[in-house]
Amino acid sequence: MRGITEFVFPKICLSCKSKFNALDNENYICQPCRAKIKRNIPPFCLACGRHLEKQGLNKSICPGCLRKKLHFDRAFSPCLYEGVIRELIHEFKYNGKDYLGKPLSEIMIEFIREYDLPIDYLDLIIPMPLHKTRLREREFNQAEILSRHIASEFKVNLALETLTRYRPTKTQTELPINNRFSNVRDSFSVSKNCNLQDKNVLLVDDVLTTGATSSEAAITLKNTGVNIVFVLTLAN
Ligand SMILES: [Zn+2]
Ligand SMILES: [Zn+2]
């Protein structure tokens, strides 16, 4: 059987652009770059999921979350939004490389297993929606691709038409932090024929920055009866 596994796939690393031999066709980054991915490590903030520096009196909530109430119950992210992961997310999202969805979602799946996230208590996975004008620009919703892989791995129902974005908002990164919460206010709606009463939902996106977008999506879901909203992003 050894022979079958000896195929190698010559690739160009998407991060450092050097040539490398991949062992399967779904490797897009070389081993040295893979090792450089910065992991988010515990202790995590019980609200936004960022790594907590061990300073100050309050050890469970980060200073940012103490100042600003987020409407989801808790967020989780396996990686820090920098270096290799930042580049890969950029390639995935803006350069049409939808095939990166699988390896990127695998990092999220590993994290769910490693930290034993309560996936069995979830009724639905909902991808963070894109407004239709932005969907046209990008051709796919990166959050939907990540959600599909996670939902099929853990056999959780995927809700694609439930949450929509009906107001095109400016890209959050173009705005100063204080404006990000008002930029997304009232920009989501829930489809009328969905019964979300008492459901536990996992909202999936690629990156959590201020948490403003996820928070607004969460309050919209909760206003229609959703019980718990957890947020899972690849990076924060
Ligand atoms: Zn590389
Ligand atoms: Zn926090």
Side-chain angles (χ1 to χ4, degrees):
M1 289 300 285
R2 184 78 184 97
I4 298 173
T5 61
E6 275 171 359
F7 286 107
V8 289
F9 298 84
K11 291 272 179 72
I12 305 274
C13 172
L14 278 180
S15 181
C16 68
K17 321 292 178 212
S18 66
K19 285 184 188 155
F20 74 106
N21 286 329
L23 288 175
D24 67 68
N25 203 21
E26 284 171 355
N27 273 326
Y28 302 102
I29 46 172
C30 69
Q31 191 47 44
C33 286
R34 195 176 291 268
K36 273 190 274 180
I37 293 176
K38 292 257 172 56
R39 300 288 172 156
N40 186 23
I41 51 165
F44 300 128
C45 169
L46 290 184
C48 71
R50 284 200 177 80
H51 172 71
L52 280 173
E53 302 295 339
K54 286 203 178 75
Q55 49 186 300
L57 288 173
N58 194 312
K59 291 199 175 59
S60 54
I61 303 284
C62 77
C65 290
L66 281 176
R67 277 193 297 272
K68 191 88 200 171
K69 162 111 181 101
L70 297 168
H71 294 291
F72 47 78
D73 293 271
R74 194 168 169 179
F76 305 90
S77 305
C79 303
L80 303 186
Y81 189 50
E82 56 184 65
V84 176
I85 278 290
R86 195 186 178 110
E87 291 164 16
L88 290 177
I89 289 175
H90 193 273
E91 293 293 317
F92 178 39
K93 213 164 145 170
Y94 302 110
N95 290 339
K97 296 189 170 69
D98 57 341
Y99 55 83
L100 284 177
K102 185 150 192 271
L104 292 177
S105 64
E106 274 162 9
I107 298 174
M108 300 164 91
I109 289 166
E110 275 167 33
F111 182 86
I112 291 171
R113 293 223 162 89
E114 185 179 352
Y115 291 98
D116 214 5
L117 302 199
I119 199 98
D120 295 341
Y121 295 94
L122 297 176
D123 300 297
L124 291 171
I125 292 181
I126 299 182
M128 179 64 76
L130 283 178
H131 186 266
K132 57 182 188 304
T133 54
R134 224 175 270 293
L135 187 60
R136 270 200 298 270
E137 289 162 16
R138 297 204 196 142
E139 294 174 5
F140 60 85
N141 176 0
Q142 74 282 356
E144 184 181 320
I145 294 181
L146 296 172
S147 298
R148 278 185 194 283
H149 289 294
I150 298 165
S152 92
E153 181 72 22
F154 296 101
K155 304 193 170 42
V156 181
N157 289 322
L158 183 64
L160 294 179
E161 312 292 329
T162 303
L163 187 67
T164 50
R165 222 179 236 201
Y166 65 91
R167 205 161 61 85
T169 46
K170 284 186 192 153
T171 301
Q172 291 288 75
T173 49
E174 291 162 5
L175 293 167
I177 284 169
N178 288 339
N179 294 356
R180 292 188 187 183
F181 284 87
S182 51
N183 179 46
V184 292
R185 198 152 295 148
D186 299 325
S187 53
F188 293 95
S189 67
V190 170
S191 164
K192 284 201 176 56
N193 40 27
C194 296
N195 180 11
L196 295 176
Q197 196 64 43
D198 299 325
K199 297 276 193 269
N200 297 330
V201 165
L202 180 69
L203 195 60
V204 170
D205 204 359
D206 53 350
V207 182
L208 183 118
T209 47
T210 59
T213 310
S214 298
S215 181
E216 187 60 30
I219 192 74
T220 308
L221 289 167
K222 290 200 168 198
N223 285 342
T224 61
V226 166
N227 180 35
I228 285 171
V229 179
F230 286 136
V231 176
L232 175 65
T233 62
L234 177 59
N236 69 14

